[in-house]
Amino acid sequence: MSDIHAEFKEQPGDDPDDVQFNTLYGVRTIQLNRPKKYNALNGSMIRKIIPRLKEYQKSALASIIVIGGAGPKAFCAGGDVSQLAKDIAENGETGQTTSKSYFGLEYKLDHLIATYPKPYIAYLDGITMGGGVGLSVHAPIRIATENTNFAMPETGIGFFPDVGGSFFLPRLEGFLGTYLALTSESLKGVQALFAGVATHYIDSSVLSNLTARLAELVFKDYDTLHTRLRIIDRTIEEFNTGLPHNESPQLAGNLRLAIDYCFRYDTVEKIISALEKERDSAQAPPQIKEWATRTLAKLGEKSPTSLKVTLRQMRLGARWNTAETFNREYHIAAKFMRHPDFVNGVSARLIHKPATKAKWQPDTLEGVTNDHVENFFKIDEGEDSLNLLTQGLDYDRYPFERDLGLPREEHVEQLVKARARGREDIINAMVEAKEGKIGVREKVEEILGRRTGMNGEGNVVWKS
């Protein structure tokens, strides 16, 4: 590991035990080990993980990387933003510079994961938020359990959904990503699978058995990454114990239609107006009216600056590749370190016990001008760029998305439009194509129910 840059070497004060690494035949496990802090990610941990990943990348003996968290509650509850906010509050510009350096280090790790040339598997067993999302969502294989609690809560602390959220969230189906980014809504258990956040779902009780089974896999030297991931995919399905209580997608039907309708707009004001119309509509179902009321209340608690910057981020990020994503987020994060909402939000929500209401500056959407928002996306002259650790492996879409996750709407649409067929024929074709993968039937049924109708001959037709 002598070629690893000095910024990744251990520093005074680093905890020697905050990450644990183990070997089981060809599997290399990474366990975040700060359970009392919900495995919150800090610089000490990142400085350990990056060199190990680079080492595993070069080793012919390391075939599969598995990352998880210690303790029963969290995979990783986020970056240690409380410490960053305290540093800024106490040390001003010096603290801002230190915090910017931390985010640069974190984003280098996230980008390394996103472009990693070997199978990388994340166990989302427990709370998975903020920095924990960066360690997991860019992995080709992301396993949810009954304990999964996924969210991006940054707009509530005066920040923005970083760690590659600019890339991941806009590429979720419809406007789910925008909804999750602005509201901080959480996805629990198998709902992370249905929403596309996870690629697999198994019970947490079999994770250790799965790791042992993965260690038995032997790949051929000429197997491509795609081939290896397909083998792993089929291996994970060996541990399929079914959906919990036959649970179906929750962000579905009329609710999903309402999400896509309300969060399609390019200004926060128009989104709020659409939600108000749903709330006040005499035709809207009661559950949609209640949802709109709750969502408006949630948005009212968020930083107005964070809301507007995040919405703009969702629209621009849909066009960024992975390298541009992390470079852009690096500069956006630096701007937030200089904005009062970050320290105010983190202090109010995470440091004060009990939590208090944050005092946002400005405290209204009207006070956040377009120029103010656009300034977050300008790269100032003389600003340093992020020196990413991987070159030439960037992409515009996740390369293994179609093969490893549940079917997406566009996949079902293609099948429906390919030739005339009935509803059950389409479902069976999708289940067969996915080799009986857990959740496929439920996901396809939801899509068909929301996006299709039947013609006079009993065949499914796609609604435009």
Side-chain angles (χ1 to χ4, degrees):
M1 293 189 285
S2 59
D3 61 335
I4 296 298
H5 194 277
E7 69 177 313
F8 308 128
K9 292 184 178 178
E10 184 178 352
Q11 295 185 5
D14 282 1
D15 181 347
D17 300 317
D18 52 15
V19 185
Q20 294 181 342
F21 303 92
N22 286 292
T23 296
L24 186 61
Y25 299 104
V27 169
R28 301 295 181 268
T29 63
I30 302 172
Q31 186 179 58
L32 311 179
N33 191 37
R34 300 179 73 204
K36 292 183 179 179
K37 293 284 188 179
Y38 298 99
N39 298 318
L41 188 68
N42 61 21
S44 170
M45 300 163 82
I46 297 171
R47 283 187 286 273
K48 293 179 180 65
I49 297 171
I50 287 177
R52 288 286 185 154
L53 284 178
K54 297 298 284 185
E55 174 191 334
Y56 299 156
Q57 182 176 334
K58 295 176 182 178
S59 172
L61 299 177
S63 300
I64 299 171
I65 316 303
V66 175
I67 189 168
K73 295 183 178 179
F75 163 60
C76 175
D80 199 350
V81 292
S82 295
Q83 185 55 51
L84 300 181
K86 289 176 182 176
D87 199 9
I88 293 172
E90 294 170 3
N91 301 306
E93 288 187 13
T94 301
Q96 294 170 6
T97 301
T98 301
S99 297
K100 179 184 176 183
S101 297
Y102 166 79
F103 287 115
L105 198 64
E106 182 181 23
Y107 300 165
K108 288 180 184 182
L109 172 56
D110 296 337
H111 180 263
L112 177 61
I113 292 167
T115 55
Y116 204 65
K118 290 187 176 184
Y120 178 102
I121 303 170
Y123 290 169
L124 283 67
D125 186 32
I127 299 169
T128 304
M129 299 183 184
V133 172
L135 296 176
S136 58
V137 295
H138 310 296
I141 294 180
R142 310 175 297 276
I143 300 177
T145 75
E146 75 280 6
N147 301 319
T148 298
N149 184 1
F150 171 95
M152 294 295 283
E154 287 79 8
T155 56
I157 58 169
F159 199 45
F160 74 111
D162 61 334
V163 297
S166 308
F167 190 91
F168 181 76
L169 290 166
R171 287 164 178 79
L172 293 178
E173 293 173 281
F175 290 94
L176 280 179
T178 301
Y179 171 63
L180 296 174
L182 294 179
T183 65
S184 307
E185 181 72 12
S186 64
L187 298 171
K188 295 183 179 178
V190 75
Q191 297 306 320
L193 173 70
F194 290 132
V197 170
T199 57
H200 299 77
Y201 176 88
I202 64 174
D203 193 272
S204 63
S205 63
V206 299
L207 285 177
S208 59
N209 292 337
L210 171 59
T211 303
R213 178 70 178 92
L214 292 173
E216 296 174 358
L217 298 180
V218 178
F219 303 122
K220 297 180 176 65
D221 291 343
Y222 54 80
D223 281 345
T224 63
L225 177 57
H226 180 270
T227 298
R228 296 176 187 218
L229 290 170
R230 290 288 291 162
I231 293 170
I232 293 170
D233 177 44
R234 290 192 291 269
T235 302
I236 295 170
E237 288 303 313
E238 295 175 12
F239 295 83
N240 173 2
T241 57
L243 297 178
H245 309 296
N246 296 315
E247 192 172 342
S248 58
Q250 291 177 356
L251 301 181
N254 288 332
L255 175 55
R256 174 60 194 281
L257 291 172
I259 288 171
D260 285 351
Y261 174 77
C262 293
F263 285 84
R264 61 183 171 148
Y265 294 104
D266 292 335
T267 70
V268 178
E269 290 87 349
K270 287 184 178 179
I271 289 173
I272 288 175
S273 178
L275 287 165
E276 290 172 340
K277 288 179 182 177
E278 291 289 334
R279 179 196 62 192
D280 300 335
S281 171
Q283 288 76 39
Q287 64 268 31
I288 299 302
K289 295 166 71 73
E290 292 169 7
W291 166 81
T293 300
R294 290 196 309 271
T295 304
L296 285 165
K298 286 182 181 180
L299 293 177
E301 297 172 350
K302 311 298 184 186
S303 156
T305 299
S306 292
L307 287 176
K308 287 199 169 185
V309 171
T310 296
L311 181 58
R312 184 66 175 147
Q313 170 202 6
M314 292 299 101
R315 301 299 181 256
L316 292 175
R319 304 193 295 268
W320 294 342
N321 69 12
T322 43
E324 186 173 8
T325 290
F326 290 105
N327 266 296
R328 290 281 190 168
E329 289 186 358
Y330 176 59
H331 293 287
I332 298 170
K335 297 283 179 70
F336 268 107
M337 293 305 97
R338 299 193 291 269
H339 194 283
D341 277 7
F342 178 73
V343 171
N344 291 341
V346 173
S347 298
R349 304 307 303 166
L350 301 179
I351 298 176
H352 295 164
K353 303 297 180 185
T356 59
K357 185 177 180 180
K359 296 180 180 179
W360 307 123
Q361 300 179 38
D363 60 0
T364 64
L365 290 170
E366 293 76 17
V368 185
T369 66
N370 289 336
D371 286 344
H372 187 190
V373 173
E374 289 303 319
N375 182 60
F376 278 86
F377 297 89
K378 291 179 182 176
I379 299 177
D380 298 330
E381 187 175 349
E383 281 283 316
D384 59 323
S385 61
L386 199 59
N387 245 342
L388 298 172
L389 303 174
T390 307
Q391 305 295 330
L393 295 176
D394 290 290
Y395 44 81
D396 300 307
R397 299 280 306 190
Y398 288 111
F400 308 108
E401 173 184 75
R402 187 180 188 113
D403 292 326
L404 300 176
L406 294 185
R408 293 170 60 91
E409 286 185 22
E410 59 261 34
H411 306 151
V412 178
E413 180 181 4
Q414 291 166 5
L415 193 61
V416 169
K417 292 181 175 179
R419 65 177 176 86
R421 64 178 85 196
R423 176 186 174 90
E424 198 62 28
D425 286 342
I426 291 171
I427 294 171
N428 290 336
M430 277 289 184
V431 171
E432 183 179 353
K434 286 288 189 177
E435 301 178 347
K437 185 182 181 72
I438 186 174
V440 171
R441 171 173 287 274
E442 291 77 9
K443 178 69 183 289
V444 176
E445 285 177 343
E446 191 283 319
I447 294 171
L448 291 176
R450 177 168 44 85
R451 295 303 309 272
T452 68
M454 304 290 286
N455 63 17
E457 299 174 348
N459 293 319
V460 174
V461 291
W462 192 262
K463 296 177 183 177
S464 57

